[in-house]
């Protein structure tokens, strides 16, 4: 059974940082695109970032560029999303997702996790 284990969400003040983690199986890690999308209450789902397993190419939404960094730890089968300079509008549930396509589609992904809540508030 596929598992995507997410962690790292929480409450942070504006301007602060958080690092999200997504750990999965070696097969998924090595052969799928892994990334994150988010959804805030009352808002549309939004792609955030993803990374290709085959090329290492990365994608960032305009809202994430310059503030977020996605990376892979091959030894831990884990993808990280380092989020800096967080803003209140970053508040959302962040979902780790995987798909055979790159970049990660916004709907119809092969698998996704349960999500982790990020709250940016003073």
């Amino acid at each position: 059974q596929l598992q995507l284990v997410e962690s790292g969400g929480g409450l942070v003040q504006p301007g602060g940082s958080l690092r999200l983690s997504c750990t999965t199986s070696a097969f998924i890690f090595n052969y799928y695109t892994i990334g994150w999308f988010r959804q805030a209450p009352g808002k549309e789902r939004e792609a955030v970032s993803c990374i290709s397993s085959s090329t290492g190419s990365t994608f960032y939404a305009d809202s994430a560029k310059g503030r977020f960094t996605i990376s892979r730890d091959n030894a831990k089968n884990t993808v990280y999303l380092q989020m800096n300079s967080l803003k209140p509008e970053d508040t959302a549930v962040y979902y780790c997702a995987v798909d055979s396509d790159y970049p990660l589609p916004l709907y119809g992904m092969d698998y996704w996790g349960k999500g982790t809540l990020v709250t940016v508030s003073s």
Side-chain angles (χ1 to χ4, degrees):
Q1 184 176 355
L2 176 73
Q3 280 193 316
L4 294 174
V5 180
E6 302 145 318
S7 63
L11 173 64
V12 64
Q13 292 186 341
S17 299
L18 284 174
R19 189 179 75 164
L20 306 184
S21 301
C22 177
T23 302
T24 186
S25 69
F27 178 79
I28 294 295
F29 185 81
N30 289 319
Y31 291 102
Y32 280 70
T33 297
I34 302 177
W36 302 84
F37 68 91
R38 67 187 183 185
Q39 188 149 25
K43 294 188 177 180
E44 294 289 326
R45 181 181 296 182
E46 180 185 15
V48 178
S49 181
C50 67
I51 186 165
S52 166
S53 62
S54 57
T55 66
S57 299
T58 57
F59 163 84
Y60 293 97
D62 287 344
S63 59
K65 287 178 181 176
R67 300 189 299 128
F68 296 2
T69 303
I70 194 167
S71 62
R72 293 162 53 94
D73 185 331
N74 295 334
K76 296 182 178 180
N77 296 336
T78 298
V79 171
Y80 299 104
L81 184 68
Q82 178 67 42
M83 305 187 296
N84 298 329
S85 302
L86 283 162
K87 306 174 182 179
E89 50 263 45
D90 294 316
T91 295
V93 178
Y94 285 69
Y95 297 87
C96 179
V98 302
D99 198 84
S100 55
D101 287 338
Y102 175 86
L104 206 65
L106 193 53
Y107 291 92
M109 301 80 82
D110 290 336
Y111 306 102
W112 57 94
K114 296 180 179 180
T116 184
L117 178 62
V118 172
T119 304
V120 184
S121 175
S122 55

